[in-house]
């Protein structure tokens, strides 16, 4: 299992989003659709290249998770649906071009998982928020697979991935809880440095079996259980990965239905 980890300040947690997307989030929260529409039009007029970034959020409507507030999320998503190209079936992903930005849906499957830092839950993506010497976010992501109802399977590379999910409310945890093996070393040091008896923290886990929507760049990976194009080619399986311009984005389907 390939596992990837990063720690950053909460203030830059959404810094990877294109600037117009972040501004549209704030505007939509304040004035529902009117302000968001102006932000979208203005952004595209000023920099047409950002259209690709907008399509990232449009495909399948993951703007709902970006905006946050329920009313703003619904208006934001409906307004952007005019630009969508729709989801790609897992069975068809292998026929898409190398490097094409696509959106798929399926259930998370994994033979190996990540353990929660604060709890013994298991999953393929862990988001840990800790208020210790500042607000910190630690994310651990494992490679996993997506499977549909017909059993079609694609791989998902965790490197660079982002999970768009609202945080749980932070609660006080005794500092001893952060001495667990699953807690990253840099987070343990931050907690020890507070000298406090408790620290505010929260954790979200993306569990095996969750239905998710993934937006990423299509490629092919050589695997033993893949399909060979001809007798000279190794068996391969369609794979989604992050790109140089945009990361792979994961959203729970349950978070798209608000």
């Amino acid at each position: 299992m390939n596992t990837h980890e990063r720690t950053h300040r909460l203030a830059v947690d959404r810094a990877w989003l294109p600037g117009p997307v972040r501004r549209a989030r704030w505007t939509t929260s304040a004035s529902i659709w009117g302000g968001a529409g102006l932000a979208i039009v203005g952004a595209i007029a000023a920099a047409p290249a950002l259209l690709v970034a907008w399509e990232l959020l449009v495909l399948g409507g993951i703007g709902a998770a970006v905006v946050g507030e329920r009313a703003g999320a619904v208006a934001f998503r409906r307004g952007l649906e005019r630009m969508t190209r729709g989801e790609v079936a897992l069975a068809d992903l292998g026929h898409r071009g190398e490097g094409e930005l696509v959106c798929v849906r399926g259930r998370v499957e994994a033979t190996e998982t990540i353990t929660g830092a604060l709890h013994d839950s298991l999953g393929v993506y862990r988001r840990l928020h800790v208020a210790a010497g500042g607000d910190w976010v630690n994310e651990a992501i494992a490679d996993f697979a997506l499977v549909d109802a017909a059993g079609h399977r694609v791989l998902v590379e965790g490197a660079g991935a982002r999970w768009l999910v609202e945080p749980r409310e932070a609660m006080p945890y005794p500092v001893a809880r952060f001495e667990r093996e699953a807690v990253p070393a840099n987070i343990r040091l931050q907690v020890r440095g507070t000298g406090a008896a408790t620290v505010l923290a929260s954790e979200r886990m993306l569990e095996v079996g969750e239905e998710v929507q993934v937006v990423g760049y299509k490629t092919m990976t050589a695997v033993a259980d893949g399909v060979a194009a001809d007798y000279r080619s190794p068996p391969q399986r369609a794979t989604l990965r992050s790109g140089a311009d945009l990361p792979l984005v994961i959203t729970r389907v349950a978070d798209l239905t608000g």
Side-chain angles (χ1 to χ4, degrees):
M1 175 181 67
N2 292 323
T3 303
H4 316 274
E5 187 177 323
R6 59 176 169 263
T7 300
H8 54 268
R9 290 190 178 275
L10 181 62
V12 298
D13 189 42
R14 295 276 173 90
W16 60 271
L17 286 168
V21 176
R22 297 194 300 272
R23 291 193 291 274
R25 176 190 179 193
W26 304 328
T27 306
T28 306
S29 300
S31 59
I32 309 303
W33 174 236
L38 292 174
I40 296 167
V41 173
I44 294 176
L50 287 172
L51 180 61
V52 175
W54 282 113
E55 288 177 345
L56 172 67
L57 297 177
V58 171
L59 291 172
I62 61 176
V66 176
V67 177
E69 293 81 358
R70 187 181 183 86
V74 172
F76 187 78
R77 188 171 71 249
R78 287 176 180 171
L80 293 179
E81 280 175 354
R82 299 189 187 98
M83 296 166 58
T84 187
R85 294 180 306 212
E87 294 179 352
V88 176
L90 296 189
D92 297 333
L93 189 58
H95 304 297
R96 296 294 174 130
E98 176 71 18
E100 182 177 346
L101 182 66
V102 296
C103 174
V104 300
R105 180 181 300 214
R107 294 199 177 275
V108 175
E109 182 181 86
T111 55
E112 297 182 70
T113 54
I114 297 168
T115 303
L118 299 178
H119 306 281
D120 291 327
S121 51
L122 301 174
V124 296
Y125 200 125
R126 180 189 71 219
R127 273 183 60 90
L128 173 65
H129 169 219
V130 178
D135 285 314
W136 298 92
V137 175
N138 174 270
E139 297 178 293
I141 314 103
D143 294 347
F144 60 95
L146 287 182
V147 183
D148 64 14
H152 299 110
R153 178 180 287 99
V154 302
L155 304 180
V156 178
E157 293 183 0
R162 301 286 178 168
W163 178 20
L164 286 178
V165 63
E166 292 299 317
R168 285 203 169 98
E169 182 179 358
M171 301 183 64
Y173 287 87
V175 293
R177 182 70 66 92
F178 295 89
E179 295 300 324
R180 292 160 51 97
E181 183 179 352
V183 177
N186 54 0
I187 296 297
R188 288 201 299 268
L189 290 174
Q190 287 294 134
V191 171
R192 291 171 186 166
T194 65
T198 61
V199 168
L200 289 175
S202 65
E203 185 175 63
R204 296 294 301 262
M205 294 290 296
L206 182 62
E207 299 179 352
V208 173
E210 285 269 21
E211 186 179 13
V212 297
Q213 189 177 75
V214 175
V215 178
Y217 294 92
K218 181 259 182 176
T219 188
M220 300 295 291
T221 301
V223 291
D225 63 347
V227 178
D230 53 59
Y231 73 93
R232 292 173 297 181
S233 303
Q236 296 181 309
R237 189 171 296 282
T239 303
L240 291 177
R241 58 171 176 79
S242 294
D245 297 322
L246 297 166
L248 182 139
V249 180
I250 305 167
T251 311
R252 297 191 318 152
V253 170
D255 294 332
L256 297 173
T257 57

